[in-house]
């Protein structure tokens, strides 16, 4: 089973940077997509960025131009720059695998807290 584990969160001042990492054990050929989501207290989980199997990236409007998603074999990254207080949230790594044409599974990490102070 895929077990994503996030790391790299912390407390930073507005304008600062953080790099989040997500280690996972999924086979590259089984991955259909990966992404980062975030959830602030009392709010729903929002898509931050995703990367497709061909390397195409997508960014949410609120982070475009400030965040960069990338990956290697067993790690998904999110480089965050120019952080704002509204970026404060728990950030979750998502790995989607499609082992068969009939099955698709989403795996989530435990989340890592990012807090941006003003």
């Amino acid at each position: 089973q895929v077990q994503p584990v996030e790391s790299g969160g912390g407390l930073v001042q507005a304008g600062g940077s953080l790099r989040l990492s997500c280690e996972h054990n999924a086979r590259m050929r089984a991955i259909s997509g990966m992404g980062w989501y975030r959830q602030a207290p009392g709010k729903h989980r929002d898509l931050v960025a995703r990367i497709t199997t061909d390397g195409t990236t997508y960014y949410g409007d609120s982070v475009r131009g400030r965040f960069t998603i990338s990956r290697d074999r067993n790690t998904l990254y999110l480089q965050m720059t120019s952080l704002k207080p509204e970026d404060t949230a728990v950030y979750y790594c998502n790995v989607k695998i499609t082992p068969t044409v009939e099955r698709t599974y989403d795996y989530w990490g435990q989340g890592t807290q990012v807090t941006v102070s003003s």
Side-chain angles (χ1 to χ4, degrees), residues 39-61:
Q39 186 169 21
K43 299 182 178 180
H44 61 275
R45 188 172 297 185
D46 292 326
L47 174 66
V48 176
R50 65 172 181 258
I51 186 166
T52 64
T53 55
D54 66 355
T56 301
T57 57
Y58 169 85
Y59 297 94
D61 290 341

Side-chain angles (χ1 to χ4, degrees), residues 78-115:
L78 185 68
Q79 179 65 52
M80 305 184 293
T81 61
S82 301
L83 284 162
K84 305 174 181 180
E86 48 263 47
D87 294 319
T88 296
V90 176
Y91 284 69
Y92 296 92
C93 172
N94 169 257
V95 179
K96 183 186 294 291
I97 65 171
T98 307
T100 70
V101 294
E102 298 90 6
R103 303 291 187 186
T104 299
Y105 301 98
D106 281 291
Y107 294 89
W108 298 89
Q110 82 289 347
T112 185
Q113 177 70 48
V114 172
T115 302

